């Protein structure tokens, strides 16, 4: 049986983080697994949004990735398709995200709004219209 290719982003978070409820409360993510450090902080958390996996991983010196807030920039914008773009963006802002681009309809057929989550990751919340 051949495995269907799927993306599972791994988002880097600062050391010492214990609360990632932003993702469960804003995006409806379900926490599947958590690997904690001795102090109770997160080493890795596996989350799912409607069956799509992603991971949060603490920044470590033996990893070649850094968290985006370290340099106030990002090389990736994560697209998340939802039914109600306005509602998800509003929840994100109320939960501590920063508005990068307000929700609007574009002539190429998408309703989109872009936010930066509390850990600096950029999300394009969108829907085909």
């Amino acid at each position: 049986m051949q495995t269907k290719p799927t993306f599972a982003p791994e988002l880097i978070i600062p050391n010492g983080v214990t609360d990632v409820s932003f993702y469960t409360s804003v995006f409806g993510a379900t926490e599947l697994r958590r690997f904690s450090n001795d102090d109770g902080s997160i080493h890795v958390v596996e989350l799912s949004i409607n069956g799509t996996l992603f991971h949060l991983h603490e920044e470590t010196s033996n990893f070649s990735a850094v968290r985006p807030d370290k340099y106030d920039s990002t090389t990736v914008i994560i697209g998340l398709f939802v039914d109600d773009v306005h509602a998800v963006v509003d929840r994100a802002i109320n939960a501590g995200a920063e508005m990068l681009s307000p929700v609007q309809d574009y002539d190429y057929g998408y309703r989109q709004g872009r936010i930066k989550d509390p850990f600096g990751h950029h999300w394009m919340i969108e829907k085909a219209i």
Side-chain angles (χ1 to χ4, degrees):
M1 177 185 214
Q2 188 173 14
T3 301
K4 179 183 173 184
T6 16
F7 286 95
E10 187 158 277
L11 309 179
I12 306 304
I13 58 174
N15 299 86
V17 171
T18 58
D19 180 11
V20 293
S21 61
F22 175 87
Y23 301 101
T24 57
S25 65
V26 172
F27 300 142
T30 302
E31 185 174 315
L32 302 176
R33 297 192 286 171
R34 179 182 290 224
F35 300 94
S36 298
N37 298 310
D38 291 341
D39 65 359
S41 65
I42 293 169
H43 177 65
V44 177
V45 170
E46 183 175 74
L47 299 155
S48 171
I49 300 174
N50 292 331
T52 300
L53 294 179
F54 70 104
H55 299 89
L56 304 177
H57 193 297
E58 73 175 328
E59 185 176 40
T60 62
S61 60
N62 62 347
F63 228 31
S64 61
V66 296
R67 61 186 202 273
D69 65 337
K70 188 170 191 172
Y71 298 107
D72 193 27
S73 65
T74 188
T75 61
V76 174
I77 298 172
I78 305 151
L80 180 63
F81 285 83
V82 299
D83 289 329
D84 189 339
V85 175
H86 287 282
V88 173
V89 168
D90 288 347
R91 275 199 313 268
I93 298 305
N94 290 333
E98 178 185 334
M99 178 75 72
L100 298 176
S101 177
V103 176
Q104 56 186 343
D105 294 347
Y106 292 92
D107 57 4
Y108 48 82
Y110 284 96
R111 175 172 298 137
Q112 298 173 314
R114 194 159 54 101
I115 58 142
K116 180 166 52 169
D117 76 23
F119 301 109
H121 300 285
H122 292 214
W123 293 78
M124 179 70 75
I125 311 304
E126 53 195 328
K127 175 183 181 168
I129 52 173

